Amino acid sequence: MADLYEKYIWEVPVRVTHWVIALSIVTLSLTGLFIGAPKSVALVTDEFTMGWVRFTHFVAGYAFAVSVVSRIYWSFVGNEQASWREFFPWRNKKGRQDMYNVFNYYTFVSKRAPYTIGHNALAGLAYSVVFLLYIVMIITGFALYSEHAPHGFLHHIFGPVLHIFTNQGVRMTHHLIMWFLIAFAIHHVYSAWLMDIKERGGVMSSIFGGYKPVHKKD
Amino acid sequence: MGKLRKELGGCDEEGPSLSRLLEERGVSRRDFLKFCTTMSAALALPVTFAPKIAQALDEVKRPTLVWLEYQDCAADTEALLRAEHPTVAELILDILSVDYHETVMAAAGFQAEEALAKVVKEQKGKYLAVVEGSIPLKDDGIYCCVAGRTAVDTAREVCGNALATIAVGTCASFGGLPAASPNPTGAVGVREAVPGATVLNLPGCPLNADNLTAAVVYFLTFGKLPATDDQGRPLFAYGKRIHDNCERRPHFDAGQYVERWGDDGHKVGYCLYKMGCKGPETFHNCPTQRFNQKTSWPVAAGHGCAGCSQPGFWDTMTPLYQRLPNVPGFGIEHTADSIGIGVAAGTAAAFAVHGVVSAFRGKSDADTSKEEK
């Protein structure tokens, strides 16, 4: 493996937002499940279980929103692997070819594990959908949250969402997308693990340290 | 807006003042001031406004009011007739000269319609109109006709020429039950049926008559309609969610819920959130104003809020006894969560299979490809 060297792939903002988003999604899903279908846990009325769960949900929601917006910002100023171009692979011929190769590998058509420096093409495509879901979650979440202070700042911005899609429609969307994101998380961890084993590119550890072994010419 | 006040005052110069009316009816000054204080509280005004309200009500001459009923069940009329004992209903009915009200007027037929026409003609721009019930627009509005004219026709004439229109109940405000899917008559609320009219929406099924009284008192005192939200509902009554003023809210925050109708939690008054209460998304003052002489309101009686003061509630707030609506296209009883669990479990299963296949697939070509390069 003499032709490999350690390349700095994932910059600090990419790694920080990745982990903040990951942790906040776990927190938001657990607290969200409780908020949607709570269990009667309090023995006396002066407990504040639902209160704290909701508080945690809202704080995690803010962390999630700030992190997603920061990551989108960084996709315009960061390095090549952080760039928004990674999320729209169908724009050029090489991207389309890469998508085809990865698809063939995943579906057992080809045995050749795709070699990529940053995101593989299909992963990039998946993230563009996931980021769209993130944005829908942020909008629906803050719209529902804003009703605690009608006619406040948030309610002015997000209130129209509730009128257009109806309050219950917004609630249902918020629930459904949570499940889509949980499904995505399962896929995400599995694919990273598979690539780590098959591609031997150390993709799993790269999201902690930022470095990945790549070919000299890259 | 002071101009409105003057116009109001000038609409019936010969009418007796309120003080005289009250005196004739044997209502004491003390009771009147108590009423004014109650009203200032209902309007969320400082108590110092009570004398101002008293003075304004004393001075104001009797404005004319016409009450139109369209696609309704007359529940708002019923609510008004049951307004709080002893003075409120009488006050309102006596301050206002109700010249036309299909349910309670003595006149009938041509005589009644003449009274309405007279008001519109002689007091153009000076009278108050109250509308109860939705207005059908489909097929030129033929699904609701009174005295041979369609609802939309009379509404445009009467509300269009009124100083202000108060839409009472959810039907008049947003279309309500007649507008529920599939809305066979094309029913809409007054604001939509009479574009350009000054409309105050007082939704509710039925409306709380105390809110109507308070809105009228506000109008008589300040000569303008109270501040409203983007749905045209006055903030004093619809400015906060049911949930935020609910007496069962501490149980919600604590985590104490009714799990089944009639269980122990239900008996001791736990939160009805899990039974589909729509209080967290409904704006109304039911918990503080209550109904029937402040006796009770749905949640106090042990039943969740149905969200009746929200636009399109019959379509959007159902199922009434579930937190979430059913997902369209999946048949009944398929909630977002059961579909979501299916999606997540399906994904996990698919990748587990993929993992097993990958593991037994033998050596990847990755190394060779790298070495080839």
Side-chain angles (χ1 to χ4, degrees), chain A residues 35 38 40-41 49-51 106 110 150 163 168 175 190 198-200, chain B residues 230-231 252-253 259 273-274 281 316 323 337 354-355 358 361 367 370:
Chain A
I35 294 166
S40 292
V41 285
T49 314
M50 181 58 125
Y106 276 151
S110 156
H163 295 327
Q168 286 289 86
H175 269 246
Y190 169 75
K198 299 291 182 182
E199 190 195 33
R200 300 183 192 161
Chain B
D230 52 359
Q231 306 281 354
F252 172 83
D253 286 331
E259 308 278 347
Y273 179 78
K274 291 183 80 174
E281 57 223 77
T316 64
R323 276 243 58 75
D337 288 337
H354 195 282
S358 295
R361 209 171 155 212
D367 314 22
K370 277 174 194 168

PDB file of all heavy atoms in Angstrom, chain A residues 35 38 40-41 49-51 106 110 150 163 168 175 190 198-200, chain B residues 230-231 252-253 259 273-274 281 316 323 337 354-355 358 361 367 370:
ATOM      1  N   ILE A  35     -43.471  12.312  23.191  1.00  0.00           N
ATOM      2  CA  ILE A  35     -44.444  13.403  23.078  1.00  0.00           C
ATOM      3  C   ILE A  35     -45.663  12.941  22.275  1.00  0.00           C
ATOM      4  O   ILE A  35     -46.798  13.251  22.601  1.00  0.00           O
ATOM      5  CB  ILE A  35     -43.800  14.649  22.429  1.00  0.00           C
ATOM      6  CG1 ILE A  35     -42.723  15.224  23.334  1.00  0.00           C
ATOM      7  CG2 ILE A  35     -44.847  15.711  22.126  1.00  0.00           C
ATOM      8  CD1 ILE A  35     -41.822  16.233  22.662  1.00  0.00           C
ATOM      9  N   PRO A  38     -47.316   9.522  24.805  1.00  0.00           N
ATOM     10  CA  PRO A  38     -46.717   9.467  26.139  1.00  0.00           C
ATOM     11  C   PRO A  38     -47.276   8.325  26.987  1.00  0.00           C
ATOM     12  O   PRO A  38     -48.370   7.823  26.730  1.00  0.00           O
ATOM     13  CB  PRO A  38     -47.090  10.817  26.740  1.00  0.00           C
ATOM     14  CG  PRO A  38     -48.330  11.210  26.023  1.00  0.00           C
ATOM     15  CD  PRO A  38     -48.221  10.650  24.642  1.00  0.00           C
ATOM     16  N   SER A  40     -48.242   7.316  30.964  1.00  0.00           N
ATOM     17  CA  SER A  40     -48.510   7.971  32.242  1.00  0.00           C
ATOM     18  C   SER A  40     -47.432   7.535  33.225  1.00  0.00           C
ATOM     19  O   SER A  40     -47.447   6.409  33.717  1.00  0.00           O
ATOM     20  CB  SER A  40     -49.890   7.594  32.756  1.00  0.00           C
ATOM     21  OG  SER A  40     -50.874   8.156  31.928  1.00  0.00           O
ATOM     22  N   VAL A  41     -46.466   8.433  33.447  1.00  0.00           N
ATOM     23  CA  VAL A  41     -45.328   8.054  34.263  1.00  0.00           C
ATOM     24  C   VAL A  41     -45.320   8.741  35.628  1.00  0.00           C
ATOM     25  O   VAL A  41     -44.731   8.236  36.574  1.00  0.00           O
ATOM     26  CB  VAL A  41     -44.004   8.376  33.539  1.00  0.00           C
ATOM     27  CG1 VAL A  41     -43.770   7.362  32.434  1.00  0.00           C
ATOM     28  CG2 VAL A  41     -44.010   9.781  32.976  1.00  0.00           C
ATOM     29  N   THR A  49     -42.512  15.611  34.034  1.00  0.00           N
ATOM     30  CA  THR A  49     -41.908  14.692  33.067  1.00  0.00           C
ATOM     31  C   THR A  49     -42.100  15.164  31.636  1.00  0.00           C
ATOM     32  O   THR A  49     -41.140  15.359  30.893  1.00  0.00           O
ATOM     33  CB  THR A  49     -42.518  13.283  33.226  1.00  0.00           C
ATOM     34  OG1 THR A  49     -42.540  12.971  34.617  1.00  0.00           O
ATOM     35  CG2 THR A  49     -41.706  12.261  32.475  1.00  0.00           C
ATOM     36  N   MET A  50     -43.354  15.341  31.242  1.00  0.00           N
ATOM     37  CA  MET A  50     -43.626  15.789  29.879  1.00  0.00           C
ATOM     38  C   MET A  50     -42.978  17.145  29.633  1.00  0.00           C
ATOM     39  O   MET A  50     -42.458  17.406  28.552  1.00  0.00           O
ATOM     40  CB  MET A  50     -45.137  15.858  29.655  1.00  0.00           C
ATOM     41  CG  MET A  50     -45.543  16.284  28.257  1.00  0.00           C
ATOM     42  SD  MET A  50     -44.881  15.218  26.964  1.00  0.00           S
ATOM     43  CE  MET A  50     -46.369  14.745  26.099  1.00  0.00           C
ATOM     44  N   GLY A  51     -42.991  17.988  30.649  1.00  0.00           N
ATOM     45  CA  GLY A  51     -42.373  19.308  30.522  1.00  0.00           C
ATOM     46  C   GLY A  51     -40.904  19.204  30.149  1.00  0.00           C
ATOM     47  O   GLY A  51     -40.440  19.834  29.198  1.00  0.00           O
ATOM     48  N   TYR A 106     -24.075  -2.369  -5.007  1.00  0.00           N
ATOM     49  CA  TYR A 106     -25.048  -2.599  -3.934  1.00  0.00           C
ATOM     50  C   TYR A 106     -26.009  -3.729  -4.293  1.00  0.00           C
ATOM     51  O   TYR A 106     -26.491  -4.452  -3.431  1.00  0.00           O
ATOM     52  CB  TYR A 106     -25.873  -1.333  -3.669  1.00  0.00           C
ATOM     53  CG  TYR A 106     -25.208  -0.337  -2.751  1.00  0.00           C
ATOM     54  CD1 TYR A 106     -25.467   1.026  -2.867  1.00  0.00           C
ATOM     55  CD2 TYR A 106     -24.337  -0.749  -1.741  1.00  0.00           C
ATOM     56  CE1 TYR A 106     -24.872   1.948  -2.028  1.00  0.00           C
ATOM     57  CE2 TYR A 106     -23.735   0.167  -0.906  1.00  0.00           C
ATOM     58  CZ  TYR A 106     -24.007   1.514  -1.050  1.00  0.00           C
ATOM     59  OH  TYR A 106     -23.426   2.406  -0.228  1.00  0.00           O
ATOM     60  N   SER A 110     -22.199  -6.083  -9.704  1.00  0.00           N
ATOM     61  CA  SER A 110     -20.756  -5.984  -9.891  1.00  0.00           C
ATOM     62  C   SER A 110     -20.059  -6.324  -8.577  1.00  0.00           C
ATOM     63  O   SER A 110     -20.598  -6.073  -7.498  1.00  0.00           O
ATOM     64  CB  SER A 110     -20.406  -4.556 -10.330  1.00  0.00           C
ATOM     65  OG  SER A 110     -19.068  -4.256 -10.007  1.00  0.00           O
ATOM     66  N   PRO A 150     -48.573  32.604  20.154  1.00  0.00           N
ATOM     67  CA  PRO A 150     -49.203  33.124  18.945  1.00  0.00           C
ATOM     68  C   PRO A 150     -48.852  34.592  18.758  1.00  0.00           C
ATOM     69  O   PRO A 150     -48.708  35.325  19.735  1.00  0.00           O
ATOM     70  CB  PRO A 150     -50.700  32.934  19.210  1.00  0.00           C
ATOM     71  CG  PRO A 150     -50.823  32.732  20.669  1.00  0.00           C
ATOM     72  CD  PRO A 150     -49.547  32.146  21.139  1.00  0.00           C
ATOM     73  N   HIS A 163     -51.680  27.057   8.241  1.00  0.00           N
ATOM     74  CA  HIS A 163     -52.912  27.359   7.509  1.00  0.00           C
ATOM     75  C   HIS A 163     -52.959  26.599   6.201  1.00  0.00           C
ATOM     76  O   HIS A 163     -53.995  26.108   5.791  1.00  0.00           O
ATOM     77  CB  HIS A 163     -53.015  28.859   7.232  1.00  0.00           C
ATOM     78  CG  HIS A 163     -53.153  29.669   8.469  1.00  0.00           C
ATOM     79  ND1 HIS A 163     -53.815  29.189   9.561  1.00  0.00           N
ATOM     80  CD2 HIS A 163     -52.716  30.903   8.796  1.00  0.00           C
ATOM     81  CE1 HIS A 163     -53.781  30.109  10.521  1.00  0.00           C
ATOM     82  NE2 HIS A 163     -53.110  31.145  10.074  1.00  0.00           N
ATOM     83  N   GLN A 168     -53.118  19.444  11.733  1.00  0.00           N
ATOM     84  CA  GLN A 168     -53.002  17.994  11.858  1.00  0.00           C
ATOM     85  C   GLN A 168     -52.153  17.406  10.736  1.00  0.00           C
ATOM     86  O   GLN A 168     -51.415  16.441  10.942  1.00  0.00           O
ATOM     87  CB  GLN A 168     -54.400  17.343  11.870  1.00  0.00           C
ATOM     88  CG  GLN A 168     -55.166  17.542  13.174  1.00  0.00           C
ATOM     89  CD  GLN A 168     -54.584  16.739  14.303  1.00  0.00           C
ATOM     90  OE1 GLN A 168     -53.661  17.170  14.977  1.00  0.00           O
ATOM     91  NE2 GLN A 168     -55.099  15.542  14.507  1.00  0.00           N
ATOM     92  N   HIS A 175     -44.385  13.356  12.045  1.00  0.00           N
ATOM     93  CA  HIS A 175     -44.260  11.967  12.514  1.00  0.00           C
ATOM     94  C   HIS A 175     -43.663  11.065  11.438  1.00  0.00           C
ATOM     95  O   HIS A 175     -42.744  10.301  11.679  1.00  0.00           O
ATOM     96  CB  HIS A 175     -45.637  11.401  12.880  1.00  0.00           C
ATOM     97  CG  HIS A 175     -45.997  11.620  14.307  1.00  0.00           C
ATOM     98  ND1 HIS A 175     -46.149  10.606  15.203  1.00  0.00           N
ATOM     99  CD2 HIS A 175     -46.243  12.754  14.999  1.00  0.00           C
ATOM    100  CE1 HIS A 175     -46.471  11.102  16.385  1.00  0.00           C
ATOM    101  NE2 HIS A 175     -46.538  12.398  16.277  1.00  0.00           N
ATOM    102  N   TYR A 190     -25.330   1.046   8.184  1.00  0.00           N
ATOM    103  CA  TYR A 190     -25.031  -0.212   7.498  1.00  0.00           C
ATOM    104  C   TYR A 190     -24.092   0.024   6.311  1.00  0.00           C
ATOM    105  O   TYR A 190     -23.092  -0.677   6.135  1.00  0.00           O
ATOM    106  CB  TYR A 190     -26.316  -0.891   7.017  1.00  0.00           C
ATOM    107  CG  TYR A 190     -26.033  -2.039   6.086  1.00  0.00           C
ATOM    108  CD1 TYR A 190     -25.560  -3.243   6.594  1.00  0.00           C
ATOM    109  CD2 TYR A 190     -26.156  -1.895   4.701  1.00  0.00           C
ATOM    110  CE1 TYR A 190     -25.242  -4.287   5.745  1.00  0.00           C
ATOM    111  CE2 TYR A 190     -25.839  -2.931   3.847  1.00  0.00           C
ATOM    112  CZ  TYR A 190     -25.380  -4.135   4.372  1.00  0.00           C
ATOM    113  OH  TYR A 190     -25.059  -5.150   3.535  1.00  0.00           O
ATOM    114  N   LYS A 198     -15.499  -3.508   2.969  1.00  0.00           N
ATOM    115  CA  LYS A 198     -15.250  -3.935   1.589  1.00  0.00           C
ATOM    116  C   LYS A 198     -14.275  -3.008   0.864  1.00  0.00           C
ATOM    117  O   LYS A 198     -13.428  -3.458   0.100  1.00  0.00           O
ATOM    118  CB  LYS A 198     -16.575  -3.985   0.826  1.00  0.00           C
ATOM    119  CG  LYS A 198     -17.580  -4.958   1.407  1.00  0.00           C
ATOM    120  CD  LYS A 198     -17.142  -6.397   1.206  1.00  0.00           C
ATOM    121  CE  LYS A 198     -18.201  -7.358   1.749  1.00  0.00           C
ATOM    122  NZ  LYS A 198     -17.748  -8.757   1.606  1.00  0.00           N
ATOM    123  N   GLU A 199     -14.431  -1.733   1.102  1.00  0.00           N
ATOM    124  CA  GLU A 199     -13.584  -0.774   0.378  1.00  0.00           C
ATOM    125  C   GLU A 199     -12.239  -0.624   1.071  1.00  0.00           C
ATOM    126  O   GLU A 199     -11.256  -0.254   0.462  1.00  0.00           O
ATOM    127  CB  GLU A 199     -14.314   0.584   0.309  1.00  0.00           C
ATOM    128  CG  GLU A 199     -13.691   1.598  -0.602  1.00  0.00           C
ATOM    129  CD  GLU A 199     -14.227   3.001  -0.353  1.00  0.00           C
ATOM    130  OE1 GLU A 199     -14.560   3.318   0.815  1.00  0.00           O
ATOM    131  OE2 GLU A 199     -14.287   3.770  -1.311  1.00  0.00           O
ATOM    132  N   ARG A 200     -12.218  -0.901   2.372  1.00  0.00           N
ATOM    133  CA  ARG A 200     -11.020  -0.774   3.215  1.00  0.00           C
ATOM    134  C   ARG A 200     -10.450   0.635   3.162  1.00  0.00           C
ATOM    135  O   ARG A 200      -9.252   0.820   3.121  1.00  0.00           O
ATOM    136  CB  ARG A 200      -9.967  -1.792   2.787  1.00  0.00           C
ATOM    137  CG  ARG A 200     -10.501  -3.202   2.915  1.00  0.00           C
ATOM    138  CD  ARG A 200      -9.459  -4.195   2.559  1.00  0.00           C
ATOM    139  NE  ARG A 200     -10.049  -5.526   2.409  1.00  0.00           N
ATOM    140  CZ  ARG A 200      -9.465  -6.512   1.762  1.00  0.00           C
ATOM    141  NH1 ARG A 200      -8.277  -6.339   1.224  1.00  0.00           N
ATOM    142  NH2 ARG A 200     -10.040  -7.668   1.677  1.00  0.00           N
TER     143      ARG A 200
ATOM    144  N   ASP B 230     -54.976  36.508  12.264  1.00  0.00           N
ATOM    145  CA  ASP B 230     -55.051  36.435  10.801  1.00  0.00           C
ATOM    146  C   ASP B 230     -56.276  35.686  10.300  1.00  0.00           C
ATOM    147  O   ASP B 230     -56.517  35.613   9.106  1.00  0.00           O
ATOM    148  CB  ASP B 230     -53.763  35.827  10.220  1.00  0.00           C
ATOM    149  CG  ASP B 230     -53.425  34.502  10.878  1.00  0.00           C
ATOM    150  OD1 ASP B 230     -54.191  34.090  11.779  1.00  0.00           O
ATOM    151  OD2 ASP B 230     -52.421  33.885  10.508  1.00  0.00           O
ATOM    152  N   GLN B 231     -57.073  35.131  11.220  1.00  0.00           N
ATOM    153  CA  GLN B 231     -58.327  34.482  10.837  1.00  0.00           C
ATOM    154  C   GLN B 231     -59.518  35.407  11.091  1.00  0.00           C
ATOM    155  O   GLN B 231     -60.668  34.955  11.036  1.00  0.00           O
ATOM    156  CB  GLN B 231     -58.539  33.186  11.641  1.00  0.00           C
ATOM    157  CG  GLN B 231     -57.402  32.216  11.570  1.00  0.00           C
ATOM    158  CD  GLN B 231     -57.404  31.424  10.279  1.00  0.00           C
ATOM    159  OE1 GLN B 231     -58.325  31.523   9.480  1.00  0.00           O
ATOM    160  NE2 GLN B 231     -56.361  30.654  10.052  1.00  0.00           N
ATOM    161  N   PHE B 252     -50.837  17.319  32.038  1.00  0.00           N
ATOM    162  CA  PHE B 252     -50.097  17.146  30.780  1.00  0.00           C
ATOM    163  C   PHE B 252     -48.604  17.283  31.035  1.00  0.00           C
ATOM    164  O   PHE B 252     -47.807  16.436  30.630  1.00  0.00           O
ATOM    165  CB  PHE B 252     -50.556  18.191  29.748  1.00  0.00           C
ATOM    166  CG  PHE B 252     -49.716  18.212  28.487  1.00  0.00           C
ATOM    167  CD1 PHE B 252     -49.959  17.306  27.463  1.00  0.00           C
ATOM    168  CD2 PHE B 252     -48.687  19.131  28.340  1.00  0.00           C
ATOM    169  CE1 PHE B 252     -49.179  17.312  26.309  1.00  0.00           C
ATOM    170  CE2 PHE B 252     -47.906  19.140  27.182  1.00  0.00           C
ATOM    171  CZ  PHE B 252     -48.155  18.230  26.168  1.00  0.00           C
ATOM    172  N   ASP B 253     -48.224  18.357  31.721  1.00  0.00           N
ATOM    173  CA  ASP B 253     -46.797  18.603  31.965  1.00  0.00           C
ATOM    174  C   ASP B 253     -46.190  17.542  32.883  1.00  0.00           C
ATOM    175  O   ASP B 253     -45.023  17.178  32.725  1.00  0.00           O
ATOM    176  CB  ASP B 253     -46.597  20.001  32.570  1.00  0.00           C
ATOM    177  CG  ASP B 253     -46.795  21.090  31.530  1.00  0.00           C
ATOM    178  OD1 ASP B 253     -46.529  20.817  30.344  1.00  0.00           O
ATOM    179  OD2 ASP B 253     -47.217  22.198  31.899  1.00  0.00           O
ATOM    180  N   GLU B 259     -55.900   7.050  29.701  1.00  0.00           N
ATOM    181  CA  GLU B 259     -55.502   6.044  28.705  1.00  0.00           C
ATOM    182  C   GLU B 259     -56.717   5.429  28.025  1.00  0.00           C
ATOM    183  O   GLU B 259     -56.671   5.074  26.854  1.00  0.00           O
ATOM    184  CB  GLU B 259     -54.682   4.928  29.361  1.00  0.00           C
ATOM    185  CG  GLU B 259     -53.493   5.401  30.194  1.00  0.00           C
ATOM    186  CD  GLU B 259     -52.264   5.701  29.344  1.00  0.00           C
ATOM    187  OE1 GLU B 259     -52.241   5.322  28.162  1.00  0.00           O
ATOM    188  OE2 GLU B 259     -51.330   6.326  29.886  1.00  0.00           O
ATOM    189  N   TYR B 273     -55.067  14.377  26.462  1.00  0.00           N
ATOM    190  CA  TYR B 273     -54.202  14.436  25.272  1.00  0.00           C
ATOM    191  C   TYR B 273     -54.234  13.151  24.459  1.00  0.00           C
ATOM    192  O   TYR B 273     -54.393  13.169  23.245  1.00  0.00           O
ATOM    193  CB  TYR B 273     -52.788  14.724  25.782  1.00  0.00           C
ATOM    194  CG  TYR B 273     -51.685  14.804  24.754  1.00  0.00           C
ATOM    195  CD1 TYR B 273     -51.521  15.943  23.966  1.00  0.00           C
ATOM    196  CD2 TYR B 273     -50.772  13.763  24.610  1.00  0.00           C
ATOM    197  CE1 TYR B 273     -50.489  16.032  23.072  1.00  0.00           C
ATOM    198  CE2 TYR B 273     -49.727  13.855  23.713  1.00  0.00           C
ATOM    199  CZ  TYR B 273     -49.590  14.988  22.939  1.00  0.00           C
ATOM    200  OH  TYR B 273     -48.556  15.070  22.052  1.00  0.00           O
ATOM    201  N   LYS B 274     -54.114  12.011  25.131  1.00  0.00           N
ATOM    202  CA  LYS B 274     -54.058  10.734  24.404  1.00  0.00           C
ATOM    203  C   LYS B 274     -55.415  10.304  23.866  1.00  0.00           C
ATOM    204  O   LYS B 274     -55.499   9.407  23.045  1.00  0.00           O
ATOM    205  CB  LYS B 274     -53.497   9.618  25.312  1.00  0.00           C
ATOM    206  CG  LYS B 274     -52.038   9.806  25.624  1.00  0.00           C
ATOM    207  CD  LYS B 274     -51.492   8.674  26.455  1.00  0.00           C
ATOM    208  CE  LYS B 274     -51.169   7.458  25.622  1.00  0.00           C
ATOM    209  NZ  LYS B 274     -50.505   6.419  26.451  1.00  0.00           N
ATOM    210  N   GLU B 281     -53.970  22.665  19.722  1.00  0.00           N
ATOM    211  CA  GLU B 281     -53.913  23.338  18.430  1.00  0.00           C
ATOM    212  C   GLU B 281     -55.156  24.169  18.153  1.00  0.00           C
ATOM    213  O   GLU B 281     -55.463  24.467  17.009  1.00  0.00           O
ATOM    214  CB  GLU B 281     -53.693  22.304  17.331  1.00  0.00           C
ATOM    215  CG  GLU B 281     -54.731  21.216  17.280  1.00  0.00           C
ATOM    216  CD  GLU B 281     -54.114  19.837  17.061  1.00  0.00           C
ATOM    217  OE1 GLU B 281     -53.567  19.251  18.000  1.00  0.00           O
ATOM    218  OE2 GLU B 281     -54.164  19.371  15.937  1.00  0.00           O
ATOM    219  N   THR B 316     -60.208  18.617   9.297  1.00  0.00           N
ATOM    220  CA  THR B 316     -58.795  18.584   9.694  1.00  0.00           C
ATOM    221  C   THR B 316     -58.570  18.121  11.132  1.00  0.00           C
ATOM    222  O   THR B 316     -57.482  17.686  11.454  1.00  0.00           O
ATOM    223  CB  THR B 316     -58.155  19.972   9.523  1.00  0.00           C
ATOM    224  OG1 THR B 316     -58.786  20.885  10.417  1.00  0.00           O
ATOM    225  CG2 THR B 316     -58.297  20.465   8.111  1.00  0.00           C
ATOM    226  N   ARG B 323     -54.878  11.240  18.276  1.00  0.00           N
ATOM    227  CA  ARG B 323     -53.968  12.376  18.177  1.00  0.00           C
ATOM    228  C   ARG B 323     -53.681  12.756  16.737  1.00  0.00           C
ATOM    229  O   ARG B 323     -53.616  13.908  16.385  1.00  0.00           O
ATOM    230  CB  ARG B 323     -52.626  12.065  18.865  1.00  0.00           C
ATOM    231  CG  ARG B 323     -52.623  12.293  20.332  1.00  0.00           C
ATOM    232  CD  ARG B 323     -51.658  13.373  20.790  1.00  0.00           C
ATOM    233  NE  ARG B 323     -51.891  14.673  20.183  1.00  0.00           N
ATOM    234  CZ  ARG B 323     -52.878  15.486  20.503  1.00  0.00           C
ATOM    235  NH1 ARG B 323     -53.733  15.182  21.427  1.00  0.00           N
ATOM    236  NH2 ARG B 323     -53.019  16.634  19.892  1.00  0.00           N
ATOM    237  N   ASP B 337     -47.537   6.434  12.578  1.00  0.00           N
ATOM    238  CA  ASP B 337     -46.563   5.661  13.336  1.00  0.00           C
ATOM    239  C   ASP B 337     -46.525   4.194  12.933  1.00  0.00           C
ATOM    240  O   ASP B 337     -45.453   3.596  12.858  1.00  0.00           O
ATOM    241  CB  ASP B 337     -46.839   5.785  14.838  1.00  0.00           C
ATOM    242  CG  ASP B 337     -46.479   7.171  15.344  1.00  0.00           C
ATOM    243  OD1 ASP B 337     -45.657   7.828  14.674  1.00  0.00           O
ATOM    244  OD2 ASP B 337     -47.010   7.589  16.375  1.00  0.00           O
ATOM    245  N   HIS B 354     -28.994  -7.930   3.102  1.00  0.00           N
ATOM    246  CA  HIS B 354     -27.883  -7.451   2.271  1.00  0.00           C
ATOM    247  C   HIS B 354     -26.554  -7.746   2.947  1.00  0.00           C
ATOM    248  O   HIS B 354     -25.592  -8.183   2.295  1.00  0.00           O
ATOM    249  CB  HIS B 354     -28.046  -5.950   2.026  1.00  0.00           C
ATOM    250  CG  HIS B 354     -27.184  -5.417   0.915  1.00  0.00           C
ATOM    251  ND1 HIS B 354     -25.840  -5.171   1.079  1.00  0.00           N
ATOM    252  CD2 HIS B 354     -27.478  -5.088  -0.366  1.00  0.00           C
ATOM    253  CE1 HIS B 354     -25.351  -4.702  -0.078  1.00  0.00           C
ATOM    254  NE2 HIS B 354     -26.324  -4.646  -0.960  1.00  0.00           N
ATOM    255  N   GLY B 355     -26.522  -7.553   4.263  1.00  0.00           N
ATOM    256  CA  GLY B 355     -25.290  -7.786   5.021  1.00  0.00           C
ATOM    257  C   GLY B 355     -24.880  -9.249   4.984  1.00  0.00           C
ATOM    258  O   GLY B 355     -23.707  -9.572   4.769  1.00  0.00           O
ATOM    259  N   SER B 358     -23.579 -10.010   1.581  1.00  0.00           N
ATOM    260  CA  SER B 358     -22.256  -9.398   1.421  1.00  0.00           C
ATOM    261  C   SER B 358     -21.191 -10.206   2.134  1.00  0.00           C
ATOM    262  O   SER B 358     -20.090 -10.402   1.617  1.00  0.00           O
ATOM    263  CB  SER B 358     -22.251  -7.978   1.975  1.00  0.00           C
ATOM    264  OG  SER B 358     -23.103  -7.175   1.216  1.00  0.00           O
ATOM    265  N   ARG B 361     -20.041 -13.256   0.327  1.00  0.00           N
ATOM    266  CA  ARG B 361     -19.833 -13.005  -1.077  1.00  0.00           C
ATOM    267  C   ARG B 361     -18.370 -13.223  -1.480  1.00  0.00           C
ATOM    268  O   ARG B 361     -18.009 -13.142  -2.624  1.00  0.00           O
ATOM    269  CB  ARG B 361     -20.217 -11.571  -1.364  1.00  0.00           C
ATOM    270  CG  ARG B 361     -20.698 -11.411  -2.766  1.00  0.00           C
ATOM    271  CD  ARG B 361     -21.258 -10.028  -2.867  1.00  0.00           C
ATOM    272  NE  ARG B 361     -21.202  -9.599  -4.240  1.00  0.00           N
ATOM    273  CZ  ARG B 361     -21.035  -8.369  -4.610  1.00  0.00           C
ATOM    274  NH1 ARG B 361     -20.865  -7.436  -3.699  1.00  0.00           N
ATOM    275  NH2 ARG B 361     -21.022  -8.053  -5.880  1.00  0.00           N
ATOM    276  N   ASP B 367      -9.167  -4.482  -3.726  1.00  0.00           N
ATOM    277  CA  ASP B 367      -7.705  -4.488  -3.707  1.00  0.00           C
ATOM    278  C   ASP B 367      -7.149  -4.593  -5.122  1.00  0.00           C
ATOM    279  O   ASP B 367      -6.273  -3.848  -5.513  1.00  0.00           O
ATOM    280  CB  ASP B 367      -7.155  -5.668  -2.935  1.00  0.00           C
ATOM    281  CG  ASP B 367      -7.837  -5.886  -1.632  1.00  0.00           C
ATOM    282  OD1 ASP B 367      -8.990  -5.424  -1.492  1.00  0.00           O
ATOM    283  OD2 ASP B 367      -7.245  -6.506  -0.778  1.00  0.00           O
ATOM    284  N   LYS B 370      -7.386  -1.522  -6.975  1.00  0.00           N
ATOM    285  CA  LYS B 370      -6.402  -0.536  -6.537  1.00  0.00           C
ATOM    286  C   LYS B 370      -5.022  -0.902  -7.075  1.00  0.00           C
ATOM    287  O   LYS B 370      -4.263  -0.051  -7.529  1.00  0.00           O
ATOM    288  CB  LYS B 370      -6.364  -0.463  -5.010  1.00  0.00           C
ATOM    289  CG  LYS B 370      -7.444   0.435  -4.433  1.00  0.00           C
ATOM    290  CD  LYS B 370      -7.459   0.366  -2.944  1.00  0.00           C
ATOM    291  CE  LYS B 370      -8.741   0.989  -2.404  1.00  0.00           C
ATOM    292  NZ  LYS B 370      -8.921   0.691  -1.004  1.00  0.00           N
TER     293      LYS B 370
END
